[in-house]
Amino acid sequence: IGDAIFGYFRHYWTDKRLANKSKESIQLKGSTVEHAWTPDTYISNARESNLRLKDSEAESAFFVDPDGSVFYSKG
């Protein structure tokens, strides 16, 4: 039987529209991540992928820093 590789796919970008006056990062969790824009990632040579799972079903993290920097991870 074939080998499998598991990991997290991480994205970083800056959206100045998300900049805020808070001094702390904002974290979205579970199904609230599904309301935020995220890149539509496609891996052409993947046999199977959980990237299409809803964020509420996958191990996802979404943080917005005060300057509008975004960190999004899905695994």
Side-chain angles (χ1 to χ4, degrees):
I1 298 178
D3 295 325
I5 297 175
F6 297 97
Y8 288 92
F9 197 79
R10 295 183 170 160
H11 300 277
Y12 300 91
W13 69 91
T14 300
D15 186 339
K16 293 295 182 185
R17 298 171 295 175
L18 298 176
N20 59 69
K21 295 180 182 181
S22 172
K23 294 183 181 184
E24 297 182 16
S25 296
I26 297 170
Q27 179 182 8
L28 301 181
K29 297 179 182 179
S31 63
T32 58
V33 176
E34 296 166 15
H35 298 285
W37 179 88
T38 57
D40 187 18
T41 305
Y42 177 76
I43 301 174
S44 62
N45 63 345
R47 291 184 183 165
E48 289 184 33
S49 171
N50 67 349
L51 292 175
R52 292 287 179 203
L53 285 177
K54 291 183 177 184
D55 288 285
S56 57
E57 300 170 4
E59 294 290 328
S60 297
F62 192 99
F63 294 92
V64 181
D65 291 335
D67 67 352
S69 297
V70 178
F71 166 74
Y72 173 60
S73 175
K74 190 168 190 177

